[in-house]
Amino acid sequence: MAFKRCLSASPLSSSEHINNDTTVRTQLKKSSNSGICRVCGDVARIINYGALSCQSCKTFFRRNGLRPQNVRPCSFNTHCEINMQTRHTCATCRLAKCFMMGMSPDLIRKEDLKIRKGSSSKSSNVEQVIPKQITTTSQLPTLDLLQDDRSHLTNSEWTLLSNIVYAYDIYSTDRQMRLAIDNLSIYPVAMHINMINPLEIVRKICISIRSFIISSPDFQILTLNEKTSLIERNLHGIIGFSEISFFRNTGILYNSSCLKAFTTVYGSDMMLTAKKLHERLDPDSTLIKLILIILAFSSNCLVLNINKSMEDDHLLYGTFRLFGSQNVYVELLWKYMIYQYGYNESVLRFSRLIQIFLCILQNLSTIYTSNKTYRQMTDCTIEEAKQLLAINVNEQILLWGKI
């Protein structure tokens, strides 16, 4: 893998380029009193391997600095922004920023050499103190299958994962909305209220997530009645989860004009809850996209039974039709998490994702029953989706495929 030390997303002027270790160390010592990690912005106290860095970035560089060719390539053309929230998402861009900030693999080798010398001297002293006749009782090795589980995804699974991420990004409105929010600053504040339409924004979220689900081959192999049932059962819950992710990705809750506009529709309590939930949401966007496709093929992620006829729908007695898709996507999620975070961290992250989703469903049921405007908008979106399915039943849909 061709490795670049400088991120194209953060170009340096000629006077700022890191040319030698002496210059780097001088600059870093001057900035060491800032207490901010030069890589991700977390709290930092000392210089590690040539740069002021936090414990997380120190550990990351120690693991990868000597073998940059083994780091998985960036999926976004080395344009990832590295901060406290995104530092675990792209190893390539994080390592590139470590190098750019002056971290050196040579310092890892020197540290390893000191450790080896220290351990060898300690072992020699121990041998002189302990009598040779004293022996220790050997223990049988125990199996720790969970800790040793470092499953790697197959090529077809990596392809499926990239297809899911790509399909989501194709239909997502996050980037366009983020740009629109940033451009609000060029207009007078008095005009903002007329430029922000919360219901239209939510409607676009609904359409994008609907298109994402429909483009799946697993969805297309279902019958029309099964497709309609799946949309009716799950789209409400998926929309709620997507909204929290949307709030996080666009920063909409930190723009005073946008927050005020959404508060008029949802109420202050609901927006406060949404802000708390989005702050707890996992920063790894790939996990969010995988969770969404899993929820799309769940048996039911609807809190409220808003349609009595759903009790006789085609999936109530035939949920086995969904098991194959569920198994594929859940296994893909778990393998990705094990690959990225290891077993213990994966369990914690997965548990938090489930907990947050249950909180979202609880709040979704509240706003659905109490907010007539929101209820009408989401119901209309789902009805529109069902009508499109019926109209386009024979239309060829552009699929993203499994292989």
Side-chain angles (χ1 to χ4, degrees):
M1 178 182 72
F3 194 83
K4 300 179 180 179
R5 293 201 173 192
C6 292
L7 292 176
S8 57
S10 303
L12 300 175
S13 63
S14 58
S15 62
E16 291 173 321
H17 274 294
I18 300 173
N19 297 320
N20 54 66
D21 292 340
T22 304
T23 304
V24 171
R25 290 171 185 171
T26 302
Q27 292 175 348
L28 291 176
K29 287 179 180 179
K30 290 181 180 180
S31 63
S32 61
N33 57 358
S34 64
I36 301 297
C37 175
R38 296 291 297 270
V39 179
C40 72
D42 202 350
V43 176
R45 294 182 176 85
I46 61 175
I47 293 176
N48 297 300
Y49 308 126
L52 181 66
S53 54
C54 63
Q55 185 62 34
S56 175
C57 290
K58 172 192 173 183
T59 304
F60 169 81
F61 187 75
R62 178 176 178 80
R63 290 175 178 171
N64 301 283
L66 293 173
R67 294 172 295 277
Q69 68 277 5
N70 294 337
V71 175
R72 183 162 182 81
C74 175
S75 301
F76 301 98
N77 198 27
T78 64
H79 280 65
C80 299
E81 178 185 356
I82 302 302
N83 52 46
M84 291 173 58
Q85 288 72 39
T86 63
R87 63 189 179 191
H88 297 296
T89 303
C90 181
T92 292
C93 290
R94 187 181 187 185
L95 187 57
K97 192 169 183 181
C98 289
F99 282 123
M100 187 175 68
M101 291 298 107
M103 300 180 82
S104 171
D106 293 335
L107 298 178
I108 302 178
R109 296 188 181 94
K110 291 179 181 178
E111 184 177 88
D112 289 341
L113 184 61
K114 289 181 180 179
I115 292 175
R116 291 194 190 102
K117 288 182 178 179
S119 60
S120 61
S121 62
K122 288 181 181 179
S123 61
S124 62
N125 293 334
V126 171
E127 289 176 357
Q128 295 175 0
V129 173
I130 300 177
K132 291 184 179 180
Q133 64 269 21
I134 297 178
T135 58
T136 58
T137 304
S138 60
Q139 295 181 340
L140 292 174
T142 59
L143 290 176
D144 192 350
L145 298 178
L146 297 181
Q147 288 292 343
D148 290 338
D149 184 7
R150 292 294 182 269
S151 305
H152 291 275
L153 287 85
T154 64
N155 289 337
S156 60
E157 287 170 333
W158 277 119
T159 301
L160 174 58
L161 178 60
S162 64
N163 284 340
I164 293 171
V165 172
Y166 178 74
Y168 179 91
D169 293 341
I170 283 293
Y171 296 109
S172 173
T173 61
D174 292 2
R175 187 170 299 178
Q176 298 93 317
M177 189 55 58
R178 180 72 195 217
L179 181 62
I181 293 171
D182 292 341
N183 288 337
L184 281 176
S185 59
I186 67 178
Y187 299 97
V189 176
M191 295 178 59
H192 291 181
I193 192 65
N194 297 321
M195 300 173 64
I196 304 169
N197 187 337
L199 291 177
E200 181 60 25
I201 291 174
V202 174
R203 184 176 180 276
K204 288 183 178 179
I205 296 173
C206 297
I207 294 174
S208 67
I209 198 66
R210 180 190 71 196
S211 301
F212 169 58
I213 296 170
I214 291 176
S215 67
S216 165
D218 294 271
F219 186 85
Q220 289 301 317
I221 64 173
L222 299 175
T223 67
L224 176 60
N225 288 330
E226 289 170 337
K227 293 175 183 178
T228 302
S229 176
L230 206 62
I231 289 290
E232 193 170 34
R233 283 176 171 273
N234 296 332
L235 197 55
H236 275 287
I238 298 172
I239 289 171
F241 198 94
S242 300
E243 285 178 318
I244 299 300
S245 176
F246 175 85
F247 290 153
R248 195 266 305 276
N249 295 339
T250 59
I252 208 167
L253 298 183
Y254 296 100
N255 181 287
S256 58
S257 298
C258 293
L259 181 59
K260 184 178 179 180
F262 272 83
T263 301
T264 59
V265 176
Y266 291 94
S268 57
D269 291 341
M270 192 58 64
M271 292 311 299
L272 180 61
T273 301
K275 189 173 183 179
K276 291 179 179 179
L277 286 173
H278 108 277
E279 289 173 348
R280 293 168 53 195
L281 195 63
D282 197 292
D284 189 340
S285 60
T286 300
L287 290 184
I288 306 304
K289 295 164 188 177
L290 286 171
I291 283 289
L292 287 173
I293 199 68
I294 290 171
L295 294 175
F297 292 94
S298 66
S299 302
N300 192 343
C301 62
L302 182 66
V303 176
L304 302 172
N305 185 5
I306 60 175
N307 188 348
K308 300 300 181 182
S309 64
M310 286 178 61
E311 297 177 359
D312 299 319
D313 71 15
H314 287 70
L315 288 180
L316 185 62
Y317 303 106
T319 52
F320 64 89
R321 291 289 304 273
L322 302 176
F323 288 165
S325 300
Q326 291 175 1
N327 290 340
V328 168
Y329 295 127
V330 171
E331 184 177 1
L332 182 66
L333 170 71
W334 184 245
K335 282 189 174 183
Y336 169 77
M337 294 178 74
I338 291 293
Y339 168 82
Q340 194 78 299
Y341 306 109
Y343 180 80
N344 291 333
E345 182 66 18
S346 296
V347 171
L348 293 175
R349 284 174 176 262
F350 187 77
S351 301
R352 285 195 293 265
L353 279 171
I354 298 301
Q355 183 184 35
I356 290 174
F357 180 66
L358 293 176
C359 291
I360 291 172
L361 287 185
Q362 181 182 7
N363 286 279
L364 186 65
S365 64
T366 301
I367 192 170
Y368 184 87
T369 55
S370 62
N371 193 310
K372 182 179 179 180
T373 304
Y374 177 83
R375 180 169 64 251
Q376 290 177 341
M377 187 274 301
T378 52
D379 286 348
C380 288
T381 302
I382 291 175
E383 284 301 318
E384 179 184 331
K386 291 161 60 177
Q387 292 173 11
L388 286 174
L389 288 175
I391 295 172
N392 302 326
V393 64
N394 296 320
E395 183 181 353
Q396 293 295 321
I397 304 295
L398 183 62
L399 305 179
W400 40 262
K402 279 194 173 184
I403 56 175

